Amino acid sequence: QVQLVESGEGSVQSGGSLRLSCVASGYTVSTVCMGWFRQTPGKEREGVAVIQSDGSTLYADSVKGRFTISQDNTKNTLSLQMNSLKSEDTAMYYCAVGNAYFSAFTGYYCLRAASAYEYWGQGTQVTVSS
């Protein structure tokens, strides 16, 4: 059974930094996507950053240049370094795992849509005060 456990919850002032971590266990598929998503009350879950097992990444435009997703396959750990945080980054952040899609033209690829991910962590709160 796939389990995802997030950590790194915190409150910072605007311009500050936080690092989220997610330890994953229970899956052995080599072509997977892992990602960080966030959600605020009344809004849909948004794909912040995803990373494929080959290391390729996708970011939401709103976080490009500020957030960095990384993975340590030896420790099954996914991280999200968040710098220059803004009040609009305040949300519950979730770690997720899903299978990569395959195209005969591009090979395996990941999506940022939450619907493409099957397994989810419990979420960790990030609060940025202005």
Side-chain angles (χ1 to χ4, degrees):
Q1 183 176 355
V2 177
Q3 290 188 324
L4 303 171
V5 180
E6 300 115 332
S7 61
E9 173 175 323
S11 298
V12 296
Q13 291 190 330
S14 179
S17 298
L18 274 177
R19 186 176 182 88
L20 304 181
S21 294
C22 173
V23 178
S25 62
Y27 68 90
T28 58
V29 178
S30 60
T31 50
V32 296
C33 304
M34 297 188 72
W36 288 98
F37 296 76
R38 64 187 181 188
Q39 190 171 24
T40 54
K43 292 190 176 181
E44 291 188 357
R45 195 165 293 188
E46 173 193 21
V48 175
V50 302
I51 187 167
Q52 193 172 329
S53 46
D54 67 357
S56 56
T57 57
L58 287 173
Y59 291 92
D61 287 344
S62 59
V63 305
K64 282 181 181 177
R66 300 189 298 121
F67 290 13
T68 302
I69 188 171
S70 61
Q71 60 184 8
D72 182 340
N73 290 330
T74 61
K75 299 179 181 179
N76 283 346
T77 301
L78 180 73
S79 299
L80 184 69
Q81 179 65 43
M82 304 184 293
N83 298 328
S84 302
L85 283 161
K86 305 176 181 180
S87 57
E88 50 262 45
D89 294 318
T90 296
M92 184 71 78
Y93 283 72
Y94 298 88
C95 169
V97 171
N99 290 326
Y101 290 82
F102 180 80
S103 163
F105 299 100
T106 62
Y108 289 99
Y109 63 96
C110 297
L111 298 175
R112 282 198 300 113
S115 59
Y117 292 77
E118 183 175 1
Y119 301 102
W120 294 85
Q122 80 284 357
T124 188
Q125 180 67 39
V126 171
T127 303
V128 184
S129 56
S130 56

